[in-house]
Amino acid sequence: MAPTDTPVLLLGETGVGKEIIANTIHRLSLRKNHPLIKVDCAAISENLVENELFGHEKGSFTGAFSRVRGRFERAHSGTLFLDEIGELSPETQKRILRVLQERVIERVGGSEVIGVDIRIIAATHRPLETMIANGKFRKDLFFRLNVFPISIPPLRDRKEDIPRFVDHLIKIGSRKIQLSSIATLAPGVIDSLMAYRWPGNIRELKNCVERELIINRGKPLTFSSLYNTMPENGEISIDRMGDGSFDLNRAMARHIRKVLNMTGGRVEGKQGAARLLNVHPRTLQHRMKKLNILFGRNYKRVKHAP
């Protein structure tokens, strides 16, 4: 599959390593000596989508002082990775479908038709088939992308991989923070790590290892910072709402607000809510807008309850 030009669709929960797999596919492909251009679809603003994807000509709008190539053009002869494809609006889906069908683009403000030769790798954590049934994702675009689907299981379903992941992450992290030697694990730690459900998947594991390396600075890693927040059975507790319901959106909004209270409304950065929730900041902001949750400067203007 990797040496071909076949489109690939990576499916799996947030944090399972879809971008790593996309990098590997490109590295093993015949296009490896050409660019791998990544697009975070959740971060593309609707009014900037054409400029981001297709580029613009000099003078095409106020502030356009030079010609700029878009992501599709920059990926010519290489690979275009469309991350979180399920977050695109129907109009943006239509624009991308046209490029995939005709293999040409036009820059904003230009009349020249530019051919593009690209391989597409797309990824999402959302149920695209359900979205198609609800009219939120184009069926024709799905069939264009779903030529070679790869479903990536969550970390809780492949716990036998945890020892190898931990060993790899410790070696990388030890070099990153310039420890004099590779850190080791305290006795019995692996069994405890395998008992945890890892709701944030590999991304959570990576962050946890990095945090432990910084805290212990060469001493055996105990992962005590994880245990302090983990129930004895390793499960994540689910609270009812005040009226006894289990409404998913309300539960999600309540949890996000609790984390925002901890960060003072900050979403991005090391002390931001996105880092604590193990999601991309743009993905979190998109979800918060849907749930009518204020953040940033707007957060500080109102009084918040947990």
Side-chain angles (χ1 to χ4, degrees):
M1 175 271 297
T4 72
D5 283 339
T6 302
V8 177
L9 180 60
L10 304 176
L11 304 167
E13 295 178 5
T14 298
V16 294
K18 296 187 286 293
E19 183 175 346
I20 295 174
I21 293 178
N23 290 336
T24 302
I25 293 173
H26 175 73
R27 190 174 66 251
L28 297 176
S29 75
L30 300 178
R31 298 173 179 262
K32 62 184 178 181
N33 295 322
H34 297 280
L36 168 62
I37 302 298
K38 302 175 183 180
V39 180
D40 181 1
C41 297
I44 299 179
S45 172
E46 189 65 26
N47 60 337
L48 295 176
V49 64
E50 289 194 10
N51 184 49
E52 284 286 327
L53 297 180
F54 310 131
H56 62 258
E57 295 287 354
K58 180 179 180 180
S60 57
F61 54 87
T62 302
F65 300 115
S66 62
R67 171 187 290 177
V68 173
R69 297 189 305 158
R71 308 292 181 90
F72 275 93
E73 192 175 354
R74 287 160 52 197
H76 180 66
S77 298
T79 303
L80 184 67
F81 176 45
L82 298 171
D83 195 13
E84 296 301 348
I85 190 79
E87 302 295 335
L88 290 177
S89 69
E91 183 59 32
T92 302
Q93 294 172 32
K94 180 180 178 181
R95 293 170 182 170
I96 289 180
L97 176 64
R98 180 175 178 272
V99 177
L100 298 184
Q101 289 174 333
E102 301 179 12
R103 298 286 177 174
V104 296
I105 64 166
E106 292 182 23
R107 299 191 191 102
V108 175
S111 57
E112 179 186 3
V113 176
I114 304 168
V116 288
D117 172 24
I118 54 178
R119 182 190 192 173
I120 296 293
I121 301 176
T124 184
H125 71 284
R126 304 191 66 179
L128 294 185
E129 293 182 345
T130 301
M131 293 177 66
I132 291 172
N134 295 333
K136 296 181 178 179
F137 199 85
R138 295 182 64 100
K139 183 185 294 186
D140 44 8
L141 178 58
F142 174 74
F143 287 136
R144 282 275 178 179
L145 300 173
N146 195 43
V147 179
F148 198 99
I150 298 177
S151 183
I152 308 168
L155 189 56
R156 62 181 173 274
D157 291 342
R158 45 173 173 155
K159 292 188 174 182
E160 66 279 1
D161 292 334
I162 289 178
R164 289 192 292 271
F165 282 138
V166 171
D167 182 65
H168 177 68
L169 292 171
I170 287 176
K171 290 178 180 177
I172 292 177
S174 296
R175 289 193 291 267
K176 181 179 178 181
I177 65 174
Q178 300 180 341
L179 294 179
S180 57
S181 61
I182 303 298
T184 59
L185 294 173
V189 165
I190 280 294
D191 290 338
S192 298
L193 294 179
M194 292 180 69
Y196 182 51
R197 286 182 59 81
W198 297 104
N201 292 297
I202 297 175
R203 182 180 299 156
E204 182 184 7
L205 177 61
K206 178 178 179 296
N207 292 341
C208 191
V209 169
E210 185 173 344
R211 182 170 63 246
E212 284 296 306
L213 288 169
I214 294 172
I215 292 174
N216 289 275
R217 300 300 300 186
K219 299 178 182 178
L221 308 184
T222 62
F223 287 85
S224 57
S225 61
L226 177 65
Y227 304 151
N228 290 338
T229 60
M230 184 177 68
E232 291 183 3
N233 61 1
E235 301 287 341
I236 303 301
S237 61
I238 302 176
D239 297 330
R240 289 178 183 241
M241 299 299 102
D243 59 2
S245 71
F246 291 97
D247 183 88
L248 180 58
N249 281 337
R250 291 181 62 194
M252 187 183 302
R254 183 184 184 190
H255 184 62
I256 291 174
R257 288 193 178 100
K258 283 184 177 180
V259 176
L260 281 173
N261 284 342
M262 295 168 58
T263 65
R266 181 186 295 273
V267 174
E268 302 186 48
K270 292 183 178 180
Q271 304 300 323
R275 184 72 175 267
L276 294 177
L277 291 167
N278 288 300
V279 298
H280 192 283
R282 297 294 177 269
T283 302
L284 178 58
Q285 290 174 355
H286 180 75
R287 174 60 58 186
M288 290 164 66
K289 288 178 182 178
K290 287 187 174 182
L291 296 173
N292 295 317
I293 299 174
L294 300 177
F295 57 92
R297 293 180 180 176
N298 292 328
Y299 175 90
K300 298 176 181 179
R301 295 175 183 169
V302 297
K303 184 178 180 180
H304 291 272

